[in-house]
Amino acid sequence: MTDTANPLIRIAGLSKSFGDFVAVDDIHLDIGRSELFSILGGSGCGKSTLLRMLAGFETPSAGKVEIDGIDVTHLPPYERPVNMMFQSYAVFPHMNVEKNIAYGLRKDRVGKHEIARRVDDMLELVQLGDFRQRKTDQLSGGQLQRVALARALIKRPKVLLLDEPLAALDKKLRERTQFELMNIQDELGITFVVVTHDQEEAMTLSSRIAVMNEGRFLQVGEPKEIYEYPCNRFVANFIGTINTFEGTVASVDPDGISIQCEELGSTLRAVGDYAVAVGQAVGVAVRPEKIFISRSEPEDLYDARLRGIVDDQGYLGNLSLYRVRLESGKMIQVSSQNRRRSSKRFVEWDDEIWISWQPLSAVVLVD
Ligand code: ATP
């Protein structure tokens, strides 16, 4: 559980305008101690501007930032208990690994022995002991990223801000480095605030995620919460793949709600505490992995049951993906895990099939 009762960072009504353009719009957020918090959004949504305001590189147009109970809104970067790791890593190519890592402490005139001890600790933490004498232009992308991380951490900030920390790495290395980053964060207990446009990265790394669009936070929550209970259509479509159906609330009862979907010619059920009224237009969203495919009509009368034809299918090794054309013409995506090793496909192109899902798997989208 995240401890936000005693937050390390408190952001209140923070905004930033460039001329008439509002890049960050009235953000309120508490970040707990030792959290690995991600700000996730597409290009231009304002996430880097928000991070730069936390770092002190950008002056807010309105609002306040507190770190550990101290108002830092108007403090310069070097007076904040914060360090920032930039997209470009900003390591010095003419210095070796050791000197790069020691740089911040040297500048602060920390004693020689103290520097040596702390550099050793950092080299061990980021597992670069064997590379201490190497020039940084002789390192791989992943190693460079770890030098930058060590350089940012050696001054023991209370908060480390990371702007797209893994963007320069290829997929395999990025996945591995994600786990390294999590381990290091866990070991040091420093609060990390990560800006990323990569939803998989945010889901893997974070204790909590804020999904941002047009300068605003649309939803803040744990990865599972955001994936399973997206609060609106934007978040639902931004995170992972989802099928959405438009409809009208037909009835509301203690067990859930019924939604008449004209495009399916069917009524769907959803379970949950939704503040909706009969007659209201809503969306119903279902993730591909929550949908079952069967050859015969499913028996559970409470489940959504629709007929369709397999229009396309793809084999991804661990998963199979299906595009199913429903009788109404609507295309939907279904995924199923390949638990057994078999050369025979369960269903083929053009097979007539049934799809079904449980009411609990349906998410009602109001916005
Ligand atoms: P990306 O992932 O592409 O870096 P981002 O979400 O980090 O995007 P920001 O860099 O925060 O986006 O920029 C948000 C918006 O503010 C963008 O439309 C950008 O053009 C604008 N912007 C940022 N800095 C300035 C500036 N100094 N002057 C004018 N507009 C700016």
Side-chain angles (χ1 to χ4, degrees):
M1 275 295 287
T2 304
D3 175 20
T4 43
N6 175 23
L8 181 65
I9 304 175
R10 173 154 278 178
I11 302 171
L14 204 64
S15 297
K16 178 71 189 179
S17 302
F18 298 105
D20 288 344
F21 179 74
V22 183
V24 173
D25 191 3
D26 194 28
I27 296 290
H28 294 260
L29 174 71
D30 284 351
I31 300 179
R33 284 157 211 278
S34 309
E35 265 204 84
L36 205 165
F37 191 94
S38 292
I39 301 166
L40 172 67
S43 180
C45 74
K47 53 195 186 305
S48 297
T49 305
L50 175 57
L51 201 73
R52 291 170 61 79
M53 286 195 280
L54 298 184
F57 295 119
E58 203 78 74
T59 313
S61 308
K64 194 162 124 176
V65 179
E66 276 180 20
I67 298 177
D68 217 2
I70 295 167
D71 185 348
V72 300
T73 318
H74 299 290
L75 289 185
Y78 55 85
E79 284 184 22
R80 300 183 182 208
V82 164
N83 212 336
M84 181 144 167
M85 206 182 102
F86 293 94
Q87 259 177 38
S88 55
Y89 303 155
V91 292
F92 299 122
H94 58 283
M95 288 185 194
N96 66 18
V97 167
E98 205 172 52
K99 291 213 167 85
N100 257 289
I101 296 174
Y103 179 78
L105 297 184
R106 283 233 192 108
K107 236 176 94 207
D108 288 354
R109 303 190 174 283
V110 175
K112 225 166 138 186
H113 295 297
E114 171 77 2
I115 293 181
R117 195 179 57 73
R118 278 164 68 176
V119 167
D120 283 349
D121 286 350
M122 281 297 136
L123 284 168
E124 194 185 323
L125 185 75
V126 298
Q127 295 171 20
L128 282 178
D130 294 343
F131 297 85
R132 59 194 308 153
Q133 300 298 341
R134 277 257 188 111
K135 289 265 176 57
T136 52
D137 56 3
Q138 296 163 351
L139 296 177
S140 72
Q143 291 160 344
L144 214 52
Q145 192 268 349
R146 284 185 270 153
V147 175
L149 189 63
R151 224 181 71 163
L153 289 171
I154 198 162
K155 289 180 76 175
R156 298 177 184 155
K158 287 184 180 155
V159 181
L160 182 65
L161 307 173
L162 304 102
D163 192 354
E164 303 275 1
L166 310 177
L169 310 182
D170 65 42
K171 191 171 171 357
K172 269 261 153 62
L173 191 55
R174 198 162 62 227
E175 282 169 7
R176 213 177 65 214
T177 316
Q178 277 168 11
F179 288 105
E180 285 177 8
L181 209 58
M182 285 160 76
N183 289 339
I184 288 172
Q185 192 271 341
D186 193 42
E187 204 168 309
L188 297 180
I190 290 175
T191 301
F192 280 21
V193 183
V194 178
V195 152
T196 179
H197 68 276
D198 183 333
Q199 45 132 329
E200 264 179 49
E201 187 169 302
M203 299 286 285
T204 313
L205 284 177
S206 320
S207 55
R208 284 189 306 151
I209 299 173
V211 181
M212 195 171 182
N213 188 40
E214 295 181 345
R216 288 178 164 265
F217 282 173
L218 301 183
Q219 187 168 5
V220 179
E222 292 176 15
K224 193 169 171 197
E225 202 179 325
I226 289 193
Y227 185 82
E228 297 287 355
Y229 303 99
C231 70
N232 62 22
R233 287 175 175 81
F234 181 92
V235 177
N237 287 303
F238 191 73
I239 308 280
T241 307
I242 203 158
N243 299 290
T244 46
F245 311 101
E246 295 304 322
T248 310
V249 177
S251 67
V252 180
D253 55 75
D255 294 335
I257 60 178
S258 298
I259 300 115
Q260 178 60 36
C261 286
E262 295 299 338
E263 63 176 332
L264 298 178
S266 176
T267 301
L268 302 178
R269 288 283 295 166
V271 177
D273 192 13
Y274 297 106
V276 292
V278 172
Q280 189 175 338
V282 294
V284 178
V286 190
R287 297 274 181 207
E289 72 275 13
K290 303 284 198 293
I291 301 177
F292 304 99
I293 292 185
S294 54
R295 291 188 165 278
S296 53
E297 183 170 3
E299 280 169 12
D300 196 329
L301 293 178
Y302 292 103
D303 288 357
R305 292 171 302 150
L306 300 164
R307 295 191 75 151
I309 289 178
V310 177
D311 194 71
D312 204 355
Q313 59 172 305
Y315 173 75
L316 297 186
N318 55 341
L319 286 180
S320 285
L321 301 181
Y322 303 93
R323 270 161 58 84
V324 175
R325 185 160 15 94
L326 300 180
E327 282 181 326
S328 61
K330 172 104 178 162
M331 288 292 223
I332 72 158
Q333 289 207 52
V334 183
S335 67
S336 75
Q337 279 215 319
N338 296 323
R339 288 206 186 81
R340 284 200 208 121
R341 195 177 190 190
S342 163
S343 56
K344 229 175 103 223
R345 290 180 204 270
F346 162 59
V347 286
E348 293 285 355
W349 275 275
D350 295 334
D351 276 359
E352 288 188 17
I353 48 106
W354 285 84
I355 60 157
S356 60
W357 65 83
Q358 296 172 341
L360 205 58
S361 301
V363 179
V364 176
L365 302 169
V366 176
D367 295 330

